[in-house]
Amino acid sequence: MIPSIHNQGRNTARLLAYLYGPGRREEHIDPHLVASFDGLAPDPGRDPSTTLADLAQLLDEPLHLLDEDTRPTTHVWHASVRAAPGDRTLTDAEWADIARRVIAATGIDPGDGAGCRWAAVRHADDHIHLIATLVREDGRRPDHHRSAKRAQAECRQIEVDYDLHRVAAGDGTAAKRPTSAERHKADRRGQQRTSREELREAVRRSVAGAASEEEFFDRLAAAGLLIRRRIAPSGDTLGYTVALPGDRNAQGEPVFYSGSKLAPDLSLPRIRARWTQTSDDATQPAMTGPASARRRTANAAWEALIVIDHGDDGVIAAQIAATVEVLDALAQTSAAHTRHELQAAATAFERASRSYVRAARGHDHALRQAARNLVRGGPALGRGEDGATTAMAIDMLIFLITAAAHWHAKKQHAQQAEAAHRAAEHLRAAYQAAAEYPMAMLNHQGRRLAPAWQRHHSAAVRQALPELADRILAEPGWPALAATLADAQAVGHNPSALLGEATRRRELAGATSISDVLVWRLRRTADLPAYGVSAREAHRAAPANSQRAPARQMPTPSTPRTPRR
């Protein structure tokens, strides 16, 4: 149940004409009254003998208790209450009860017998509109201070009472939603998103991994945005506004938005705070390519996981905020078959990046550098080492974002926790697309291992993970894990020790596929090619002093020959 308090107006009849009219796109169906201040107000929608002027006059009668020069200039209060997507269709009687409860909660008509006059109009299945005159029957103004928060609180209880979808409570840190006018404008143009939303995403991508103010503005320009800077007499930039070239007002002028109007953390001072401790990033050498950048991103995500497990709140908030930059940078530079889900994950997680816990900037260096590496590393191919390291990075980011969701839930940040869970679902879809081919190749490599080697590696799993071994060995990804253990052993690692190290640092039981998770952890920890190597290639790459199993006599679980590290 989502209440929205709209701007106050001056003309009751004009608002009623809209509520009872066909709508801007003929979307209003059967407009009619479901409730009113006394239950007896005339309904122009169902009573042919009643006009809109009659209802407007009735609602505005308390105005005449005041002298004309003391009447409020804006006396029309307007709100809407909308059911959440997926909720059942409520009856008129149920909407009437909801209207009375919201009106009472906001202070418009608190039930003292002298409240404001109001009416509730329904012209669609999923919402009602509330209209009231902001003068009480006793001539006083209503106490409707913080009416939006009051309405939100009442709607949370209505959801419980009517068994409706529970909407997460807000905390005032969300980005401003598009206005009705902005949504209608986008609809007229056949656009799925408003200009505000398009600009928010463009600015967010431009700041991802940027190391200086000039680099940020250069990226905005490269994205094709119109930019205006507010310059102080000293020549310093005080702020900025951006516009889409094709978004014009009635006078044909571009419609500009300041960064703070797009999202609280996109104001120039808040963006500058990201660079306070990372000004040396611009001088660091560029990565050798997208695969290297993705591998380093996985490492940075692993470090951030440890911080979320053990860090202070401000430091944790900084890690979560920087994760958005990583997601944006990964979406910009990944192949087409993963890009859509990665973009959706970044958009969803953007809400999780802000809470009332202020981020302690400067502690997010590793993740911000990872985002910068991704951008500087350039576009990745969807195959080979590029595609496999993309899967490796996404796999680790799923753990990071899930940890962020748990932290938010523990702090009772309901909207942020919900947003993080949505982002994780998009990342899981992106992972399936990114990992399909490299995991197929690793599985093929694992199935070609000699039976004795397969038994040897399964014994290592049983030794390191006795409680999870049966599940791992039954998973479709077990051959890929066996191939990874073979590759690691061929270059001098002890498989049992490597498995122990990979599992000690974070639990695995909640993973969708434990074998997949272990594949990427082991290949990252052992610095193995993410795309996989054949056993012969791995042996050729092994150090000269490493001890290998004889080529003709394969070790068995009873007499394994474990290479020294």
Side-chain angles (χ1 to χ4, degrees):
M1 191 63 58
I2 306 167
S4 299
I5 310 299
H6 304 286
N7 294 332
Q8 294 178 194
R10 305 184 181 193
N11 194 313
T12 302
R14 182 178 299 171
L15 179 55
L16 286 173
Y18 167 72
L19 298 181
Y20 276 93
R24 294 183 173 90
R25 300 176 306 283
E26 303 295 326
E27 73 274 21
H28 294 177
I29 301 172
D30 186 24
H32 60 280
L33 215 64
V34 294
S36 64
F37 65 100
D38 61 357
L40 301 173
D43 182 6
R46 296 284 176 86
D47 185 354
S49 64
T50 297
T51 66
L52 294 176
D54 295 333
L55 180 56
Q57 182 178 0
L58 178 67
L59 295 176
D60 284 346
E61 276 185 5
L63 284 174
H64 301 294
L65 296 174
L66 305 176
D67 294 334
E68 192 168 346
D69 58 348
T70 62
R71 295 174 187 173
T73 55
T74 54
H75 67 274
V76 183
W77 183 85
H78 176 209
S80 59
V81 184
R82 185 178 299 273
D87 278 341
R88 63 183 175 85
T89 300
L90 300 172
T91 66
D92 280 357
E94 288 172 321
W95 275 121
D97 177 57
I98 290 168
R100 284 188 286 267
R101 291 176 61 169
V102 172
I103 284 288
T106 57
I108 298 298
D109 185 2
D112 59 359
C116 299
R117 295 190 176 189
W118 60 272
V121 178
R122 183 181 188 182
H123 56 210
D125 285 342
D126 63 347
H127 70 278
I128 58 172
H129 287 264
L130 305 173
I131 179 173
T133 298
L134 291 175
V135 177
R136 290 165 46 92
E137 297 283 5
D138 55 13
R140 294 186 292 119
R141 299 297 300 274
D143 178 14
H144 65 109
H145 178 60
R146 297 169 66 85
S147 59
K149 287 188 176 295
R150 296 182 189 180
Q152 289 282 356
E154 185 62 27
C155 282
R156 300 294 78 78
Q157 186 57 47
I158 289 171
E159 291 162 359
V160 175
D161 295 343
Y162 280 89
D163 193 24
L164 303 174
H165 172 73
R166 291 355 180 230
V167 176
D171 60 3
T173 61
K176 185 176 179 181
R177 292 180 179 176
T179 65
S180 296
E182 290 170 347
R183 287 194 296 268
H184 291 319
K185 187 176 183 179
D187 289 343
R188 289 196 306 271
R189 296 180 172 186
Q191 298 169 342
Q192 292 185 342
R193 297 193 298 176
T194 64
S195 295
R196 184 190 297 270
E197 292 167 316
E198 293 282 355
L199 287 168
R200 182 184 301 138
E201 182 171 301
V203 174
R204 208 180 63 227
R205 290 181 182 179
S206 296
V207 80
S212 68
E213 190 170 310
E214 288 309 311
E215 182 179 0
F216 167 59
F217 283 115
D218 286 345
R219 289 189 186 180
L220 289 178
L225 304 186
L226 304 178
I227 309 164
R228 287 179 179 171
R229 297 201 206 188
R230 186 159 56 90
I231 306 296
S234 63
D236 295 331
T237 301
L238 300 177
Y240 74 99
T241 57
V242 288
L244 295 174
D247 185 24
R248 306 274 170 165
N249 59 20
Q251 290 73 41
E253 300 170 338
V255 180
F256 282 89
Y257 294 82
S258 65
S260 61
K261 295 298 184 183
L262 298 176
D265 55 347
L266 294 182
S267 67
L268 190 56
R270 296 283 293 275
I271 290 174
R272 281 173 173 158
R274 310 185 192 201
W275 303 320
T276 302
Q277 302 295 329
T278 57
S279 59
D280 60 329
D281 287 354
T283 64
Q284 294 196 11
M287 297 298 97
T288 55
S292 176
R294 278 153 175 73
R295 189 178 284 271
R296 296 197 181 194
T297 295
N299 291 336
W302 181 262
E303 294 174 10
L305 266 172
I306 298 172
V307 173
I308 291 178
D309 285 343
H310 306 291
D312 296 332
D313 285 350
V315 178
I316 292 172
Q319 303 296 321
I320 294 173
T323 301
V324 178
E325 296 191 44
V326 174
L327 291 172
D328 276 319
L330 191 62
Q332 291 179 63
T333 58
S334 290
H337 69 300
T338 58
R339 192 177 304 138
H340 175 75
E341 292 292 350
L342 289 172
Q343 288 174 343
T347 299
F349 196 69
E350 185 259 353
R351 178 66 189 97
S353 68
R354 292 187 306 274
S355 68
Y356 63 81
V357 178
R358 180 61 64 90
R361 291 295 188 178
H363 296 277
D364 53 358
H365 173 87
L367 283 174
R368 292 208 73 249
Q369 184 61 42
R372 183 165 179 78
N373 290 342
L374 288 167
V375 173
R376 296 169 76 185
L381 300 174
R383 59 183 184 275
E385 192 71 4
D386 285 6
T389 51
T390 297
M392 177 187 289
I394 295 173
D395 177 75
M396 190 56 66
L397 286 168
I398 291 172
F399 276 91
L400 177 57
I401 286 177
T402 302
H406 292 161
W407 179 80
H408 277 308
K410 184 171 64 175
K411 292 293 178 181
Q412 298 185 335
H413 302 164
Q415 286 193 354
Q416 290 87 341
E418 183 181 9
H421 284 302
R422 288 201 313 272
E425 287 304 309
H426 287 295
L427 279 183
R428 290 186 182 97
Y431 172 79
Q432 293 300 324
E436 180 179 8
Y437 193 71
M439 287 298 292
M441 295 299 294
L442 286 169
N443 278 318
H444 177 69
Q445 180 182 326
R447 284 190 288 267
R448 293 180 62 189
L449 289 173
W453 274 115
Q454 294 182 22
R455 292 193 298 272
H456 173 60
H457 294 311
S458 65
V461 170
R462 292 190 181 281
Q463 178 183 345
L465 300 166
E467 296 180 355
L468 298 174
D470 287 340
R471 175 179 166 184
I472 293 171
L473 296 174
E475 288 181 343
W478 157 242
L481 179 55
T484 297
L485 292 171
D487 289 346
Q489 181 166 336
V491 296
H493 289 283
N494 183 317
S496 295
L498 202 61
L499 281 167
E501 180 183 351
T503 55
R504 274 195 304 272
R505 299 179 65 182
R506 195 159 195 89
E507 64 89 19
L508 289 167
T512 303
S513 172
I514 299 176
S515 51
D516 277 32
V517 172
L518 287 174
V519 163
W520 302 120
R521 284 193 191 177
L522 296 181
R523 302 198 84 85
R524 180 179 58 83
T525 303
D527 200 25
L528 297 170
Y531 189 58
V533 293
S534 69
R536 181 177 300 174
E537 290 171 332
H539 278 280
R540 287 175 179 173
N545 62 349
S546 66
Q547 185 176 350
R548 303 180 178 89
R552 295 181 181 177
Q553 183 179 355
M554 306 299 289
T556 64
S558 58
T559 58
R561 298 185 60 184
T562 305
R564 295 194 303 271
R565 293 193 64 178

